Amino acid sequence: MKEHIEMTDDELIEQSFQELITDYLSTKHRKRVEIITKAFNFANQAHKGIKRQSGEPYIMHPLAVAKIVCTEIGLGSTSICSALLHDVVEDTDYTVEDIENLFGPKIAQIVDGLTKISGGVFGDKVSAQAENFKKLLLTMSNDIRVILIKIADRLHNMRTLGSLAANKQYKIAGETLYIYAPLANRLGLHRIKTELENLSFKYEHPEEYKQIKSKLQATAAEREEQFRAFTGPIKDQLDKMGLKYQILARVKSIYSIWKKMETKHVPFEEIYDILAVRIIFEPRKEDEELNDAFDIYVSISKIYRPHPDRLRDWVSHPKANGYQALHVTLMGKDGQWIEVQIRSERMNDVAEQGFAAHWKYKDGGGGEDEGELEKWLRTIKEILDDPQPDAMDFLDTIKLNLFASEIFVFTPRGEIKTMPQNCTVLDFAFSLHSDIGKHCIGAKVNHKLVPLSHKLQSGDQVEVLTSKSQRVKPEWLTFVSTAKARSKINALLKKEQRTLQRKGETLLNEFLLAEGIRPEVVNMDKLLQAHNVASKEEFLTLIGGGKIVLADVDRNVLKSKQGTNWKKILSFSFGKDGKENKNAAANEEEPVEKINPKKILKLTDDTLQKNYVMATCCCPIPGDDVLGYLDDNGKVIIHKRQCPVAVKLKSSYGNRIIATQWEVQKNLSFLVHIYIKGIDRVGLLSDITQVISWQLNVNIRKVNIETIDGIFEGKVQLYVHDVDDVKELISKLRKISNVKEVTRVEE
């Protein structure tokens, strides 16, 4: 240990490089140690003397990324070299041409792709964020290794996130959860996806992370015994079949457990699927892999009763990311359902390493292994063809594709089409062609007439019906679920809106000219106020569409001098440089505190009342894990860290995120919503209100409880000081006889 502490930087770097070479030599790739050594020496020289935020030499980061690429994703020398060189062009004076001259065009192309998307997916401005993400997706279609190395880069950044400031941690963790984890999942990198989720959760919700981790450790021995008892008879059966296999216990990830606790509103103790079992077998013959998987399923189903609705066959129909396995849920002797995943060694490699593992098993290039990936990339390219001015819309649109599970539907001619789960007839129409989607009026599904919003099921046969008179409608966005359909509808609506705006502008100018009124900003503000419309664009659209007709009322509004707010219209110049002070009028009324995003914001009783706004989407209270978001007006809005709105803000406006810390006394009250459910009995409501009002002295705002067939459920709105009050309240309510479920909800 002492020797390790006294190691010089050079010794530490050399040791790390030797570990990389050892890992590489143990793979099945052809041994190109010389070019890896050359890339390491070049990168080491280029980054010499530069330190990371943690204090270690910068080259340790490219070395760590190269190790992940080699051992955890399973890529070869080209990718390892690219990982070692991935920051050289970005951070030093070397160019892509230099890389090409020394290492050839393929490595240079990958390094160039990585340089274009450097600095995280997102920059400081919204438009740059969308552009960077587009670049990231476009580089995937040139060489999938670019995104695989980028994911490895993000994984190492997450593993070393502790050395950064808190607001940076929230930005990077939020971005990881919103984009990188789904990307890793889509590319079949399940192990990396799970680690990215867990690390993001660890930095966003440190207390919950520690609690779940400690509960998992406390129940480990119990799970080990359950695993031993459950798998004993299975091992005996597989031995009789003469198979070579291994049986592993798979424990649900900390993030997945928390997610289930949040969505199902249950405590840790009521999560029953923490343990799953994985059987990895070696096929008896190369072409018997599929038969062996089903033989194992049949034989273990004779030992334990299978759940009739929970057989998942991804052997015959692989997922879009190449994942293959049989999933069956069996009831153990203790009455608990346990999921068993059956995979061959090849299937397991693909599940762990994703598309990279395909290259290990295919002969020569191409082949149908990457067919689904190509299909996905093609869809993304189509989305990129449509300009998306709003980064948030763009990210949401892409995210629809990242998370989609697949179903299989048929055309009238019997052709099979892969579609995302929960897709509608309209989604299917747009997947065939934009013109078919635009003119779709309905469909015949299994020969029965259905509307545009009808959700398709696996195995449906779909005949799309169209009409030339059909036009795209805004309400279509409420039921489409695919990225392509949403993107096309938005583009068509915007095109139509621009046409209406041009028409509206012509009508407005004609009206003003006829009345002898100048088209000034002040006059436009008067019209917007009179018609209660938020923006000029919306106003022109309504005029162009005939929903607003300019008349005598508008003439009177424009010629009236009342209602003009001169403070807003006039601008003032101050100081020696004579620059315009746009905030003068606002500052005259109330000074706005200057916020430094790098410092931790203290939330005190005084500042909460004066300076900050509590987000209505998630209603945070003292004790919740929260963050601040600096809006366009300089106001700080406080969100819960797991709030869906906050997740998007972290991903798209990372530079405006502020780390916050509660420092409040029990003086202020905050509204919370408590959901409660149980078996009805006489006097139950009285017991509930007595606990809330008398025992805990909490002020109730509203109670809404109803009973159906002996089961009562409802919500109580009440005022508390902080999270501790909520925990005590929930604990006491759960102790009331016949109360089965109590949890805090958003609304």
Side-chain angles (χ1 to χ4, degrees):
M1 187 71 181
K2 191 178 176 185
E3 285 176 21
H4 180 71
I5 292 168
E6 292 174 356
M7 266 184 161
T8 65
D9 282 352
D10 287 343
E11 286 170 337
L12 197 64
I13 292 164
E14 183 57 32
Q15 184 191 56
S16 188
F17 174 63
Q18 289 307 325
E19 285 169 8
L20 171 64
I21 293 298
T22 305
D23 290 341
Y24 173 64
L25 289 172
S26 66
T27 68
K28 295 175 185 173
H29 293 282
R30 42 197 182 109
K31 308 299 178 258
R32 300 181 64 207
V33 177
E34 300 80 14
I35 194 165
I36 294 174
T37 307
K38 184 182 173 184
F40 162 69
N41 288 332
F42 182 77
N44 192 19
Q45 195 55 45
H47 294 301
K48 202 151 195 72
I50 302 167
K51 301 272 187 183
R52 289 192 90 208
Q53 205 119 11
S54 58
E56 67 178 8
Y58 192 87
I59 188 65
M60 296 298 285
H61 168 64
L63 274 167
V65 175
K67 277 188 198 173
I68 294 168
V69 162
C70 175
T71 58
E72 299 183 51
I73 304 182
L75 298 175
S77 59
T78 302
S79 301
I80 293 169
C81 290
S82 303
L84 288 167
L85 300 164
H86 80 272
D87 279 333
V88 168
V89 175
E90 175 70 15
D91 296 342
T92 74
D93 294 332
Y94 290 104
T95 64
V96 175
E97 287 71 29
D98 295 329
I99 302 289
E100 185 168 356
N101 291 334
L102 285 163
F103 299 98
K106 181 47 74 179
I107 290 173
Q109 185 189 348
I110 295 172
V111 171
D112 187 36
L114 288 159
T115 304
K116 282 176 181 166
I117 53 173
S118 61
V121 175
F122 308 101
D124 285 343
K125 294 179 181 172
V126 177
S127 59
Q129 291 159 5
E131 276 310 307
N132 268 342
F133 192 53
K134 285 181 187 180
K135 283 177 190 169
L136 181 142
L137 293 166
L138 284 171
T139 53
M140 288 173 68
S141 54
N142 295 329
D143 195 323
I144 196 71
R145 286 175 289 194
V146 174
I147 191 63
L148 292 170
I149 297 166
K150 189 64 191 170
I151 287 170
D153 177 44
R154 175 49 59 111
L155 179 58
H156 184 247
N157 284 336
M158 287 302 295
R159 286 173 178 172
T160 56
L161 199 58
S163 57
L164 297 184
N167 66 317
K168 289 272 187 190
Q169 288 177 352
Y170 301 153
K171 173 197 182 298
I172 293 168
E175 186 181 278
T176 299
L177 207 53
Y178 194 69
I179 297 297
Y180 281 97
L183 260 178
N185 184 51
R186 188 65 180 196
L187 295 171
L189 301 166
H190 296 291
R191 193 164 50 194
I192 289 176
K193 166 246 185 191
T194 300
E195 188 177 349
L196 288 174
E197 288 176 340
N198 277 346
L199 287 167
S200 299
F201 178 54
K202 178 183 175 181
Y203 285 102
E204 296 238 63
H205 304 283
E207 286 307 311
E208 284 96 329
Y209 180 87
K210 280 183 208 158
Q211 284 170 11
I212 295 172
K213 189 178 179 183
S214 124
K215 285 180 178 178
L216 277 175
Q217 286 167 345
T219 53
E222 188 185 317
R223 266 193 313 280
E224 179 59 38
E225 177 53 35
Q226 185 187 15
F227 174 72
R228 192 193 56 74
F230 181 78
T231 56
I234 293 176
K235 285 179 181 175
D236 293 341
Q237 183 62 34
L238 296 181
D239 289 340
K240 282 180 196 169
M241 293 170 70
L243 284 165
K244 288 183 185 173
Y245 65 90
Q246 53 176 322
I247 298 188
L248 307 172
R250 186 196 63 81
V251 178
K252 205 176 189 70
S253 75
I254 293 175
Y255 174 76
S256 297
I257 292 169
W258 175 77
K259 197 79 179 155
K260 193 158 190 179
M261 286 165 65
E262 288 290 302
T263 51
K264 301 278 186 187
H265 303 305
V266 292
F268 176 89
E269 292 69 27
E270 289 180 31
I271 306 287
Y272 297 114
D273 61 345
I274 289 174
L275 175 70
V277 171
R278 187 170 291 157
I279 299 171
I280 301 164
F281 68 92
E282 188 182 309
R284 288 175 280 204
K285 288 181 187 171
E286 205 173 310
D287 56 351
E288 289 292 312
E289 187 185 50
L290 191 143
N291 290 341
D292 284 348
F294 278 99
D295 284 348
I296 292 169
Y297 161 64
V298 170
S299 63
I300 63 176
S301 296
K302 288 174 184 171
I303 304 168
Y304 299 112
R305 185 158 56 87
H307 193 296
D309 300 326
R310 291 203 204 157
L311 172 65
R312 299 287 179 266
D313 173 14
W314 286 303
V315 172
S316 313
H317 301 288
K319 287 189 177 185
N321 60 19
Y323 179 83
Q324 279 184 287
L326 271 181
H327 288 200
V328 57
T329 304
L330 304 171
M331 180 170 280
K333 298 281 194 283
D334 58 357
Q336 294 255 7
W337 291 107
I338 293 180
E339 185 183 72
V340 179
Q341 300 169 356
I342 303 165
R343 302 173 179 172
S344 68
E345 288 176 343
R346 181 194 65 81
M347 293 173 192
N348 193 59
D349 277 349
V350 171
E352 296 300 325
Q353 296 182 341
F355 279 104
H358 283 297
W359 300 333
K360 249 163 64 177
Y361 290 96
K362 67 183 180 187
D363 303 320
E368 48 185 64
D369 285 328
E370 291 176 41
E372 288 292 348
L373 175 65
E374 288 304 324
K375 211 182 290 177
W376 181 55
L377 291 173
R378 207 161 44 243
T379 305
I380 283 175
K381 272 185 171 177
E382 286 172 4
I383 295 163
L384 297 173
D385 287 342
D386 284 320
Q388 289 279 346
D390 190 320
M392 299 291 269
D393 284 351
F394 175 70
L395 292 175
D396 283 347
T397 301
I398 293 292
K399 202 157 184 279
L400 288 171
N401 257 42
L402 293 178
F403 275 137
S405 298
E406 301 84 26
I407 62 168
F408 302 96
V409 295
F410 297 90
T411 66
R413 292 180 181 176
E415 293 168 35
I416 194 164
K417 298 273 183 187
T418 306
M419 291 294 293
Q421 208 165 18
N422 295 322
C423 72
T424 61
V425 162
L426 192 57
D427 288 308
F428 182 70
F430 273 105
S431 79
L432 297 173
H433 197 279
S434 297
D435 277 346
I436 296 175
K438 184 167 68 172
H439 296 118
C440 179
I441 54 170
K444 284 185 179 177
V445 173
N446 305 325
H447 309 293
K448 288 182 181 174
L449 195 62
V450 296
L452 296 175
S453 57
H454 176 82
K455 281 191 180 178
L456 299 175
Q457 306 290 325
S458 218
D460 280 348
Q461 189 176 42
V462 187
E463 181 190 346
V464 176
L465 305 174
T466 60
S467 165
K468 285 290 176 191
S469 61
Q470 177 71 296
R471 285 172 61 205
V472 65
K473 297 180 175 67
E475 56 266 29
W476 286 6
L477 289 167
T478 60
F479 57 78
V480 291
S481 69
T482 58
K484 182 177 179 180
R486 187 175 291 276
S487 169
K488 290 290 181 190
I489 292 166
N490 271 322
L492 289 164
L493 286 172
K494 278 167 189 162
K495 188 178 174 184
E496 196 170 287
Q497 192 178 25
R498 283 194 294 272
T499 307
L500 290 175
Q501 281 174 8
R502 281 195 294 271
K503 186 179 175 186
E505 193 157 22
T506 304
L507 290 170
L508 175 64
N509 288 336
E510 286 172 358
F511 174 78
L512 293 174
L513 190 66
E515 298 299 330
I517 298 167
R518 294 174 67 184
E520 294 172 337
V521 174
V522 61
N523 289 326
M524 180 55 71
D525 284 345
K526 282 183 181 180
L527 288 170
L528 294 181
Q529 200 173 353
H531 288 277
N532 196 23
V533 176
S535 68
K536 180 184 177 182
E537 289 74 19
E538 187 187 348
F539 186 59
L540 294 175
T541 305
L542 292 169
I543 296 173
K547 292 181 180 174
I548 288 179
V549 178
L550 298 169
D552 291 347
V553 178
D554 300 290
R555 185 185 304 111
N556 296 337
V557 166
L558 290 169
K559 293 188 175 178
S560 160
K561 290 186 180 179
Q562 291 179 346
T564 307
N565 186 344
W566 294 106
K567 265 192 182 182
K568 282 186 181 175
I569 295 161
L570 294 176
S571 61
F572 304 91
S573 295
F574 297 93
K576 294 175 187 174
D577 58 4
K579 282 183 184 173
E580 185 182 336
N581 182 353
K582 292 179 183 174
N583 288 327
N587 291 345
E588 200 173 77
E589 293 169 16
E590 187 182 331
V592 178
E593 181 192 0
K594 184 75 177 165
I595 302 294
N596 181 355
K598 290 184 181 177
K599 288 189 176 175
I600 293 180
L601 198 64
K602 311 284 188 193
L603 301 177
T604 64
D605 289 350
D606 189 45
T607 56
L608 279 174
Q609 287 176 302
K610 288 182 183 174
N611 300 345
Y612 312 130
V613 179
M614 290 297 178
T616 52
C617 49
C618 55
C619 303
I621 64 172
D624 282 332
D625 288 335
V626 292
L627 51 77
Y629 167 68
L630 194 61
D631 73 3
D632 292 334
N633 302 317
K635 271 278 186 191
V636 177
I637 301 166
I638 309 299
H639 284 272
K640 281 190 197 173
R641 286 183 212 158
Q642 83 267 26
C643 164
V645 174
V647 170
K648 289 185 191 177
L649 293 172
K650 281 177 285 185
S651 302
S652 290
Y653 301 93
N655 55 313
R656 296 191 188 184
I657 296 301
I658 302 159
T660 53
Q661 193 174 303
W662 296 105
E663 287 192 359
V664 293
Q665 311 299 318
K666 288 194 178 247
N667 296 328
L668 302 177
S669 291
F670 299 84
L671 186 67
V672 295
H673 304 260
I674 301 293
Y675 170 80
I676 189 162
K677 185 176 183 179
I679 300 161
D680 194 25
R681 63 171 169 80
V682 175
L684 182 63
L685 185 58
S686 169
D687 290 349
I688 290 168
T689 52
Q690 190 174 13
V691 165
I692 296 171
S693 300
W694 298 106
Q695 287 188 35
L696 297 174
N697 197 26
V698 171
N699 185 18
I700 298 174
R701 181 192 179 194
K702 186 178 178 184
V703 177
N704 183 11
I705 290 178
E706 63 176 340
T707 302
I708 300 170
D709 296 332
I711 301 294
F712 83 89
E713 71 174 326
K715 286 179 189 168
V716 183
Q717 291 180 24
L718 36 84
Y719 291 97
V720 295
H721 298 116
D722 54 27
V723 164
D724 290 339
D725 284 0
V726 177
K727 285 178 180 171
E728 188 185 357
L729 176 67
I730 287 174
S731 172
K732 294 214 167 177
L733 287 173
R734 279 182 179 154
K735 288 175 184 170
I736 296 173
S737 166
N738 283 26
V739 171
K740 300 299 178 189
E741 194 179 326
V742 186
T743 188
R744 178 182 166 196
V745 291
E746 299 301 340
E747 57 177 48

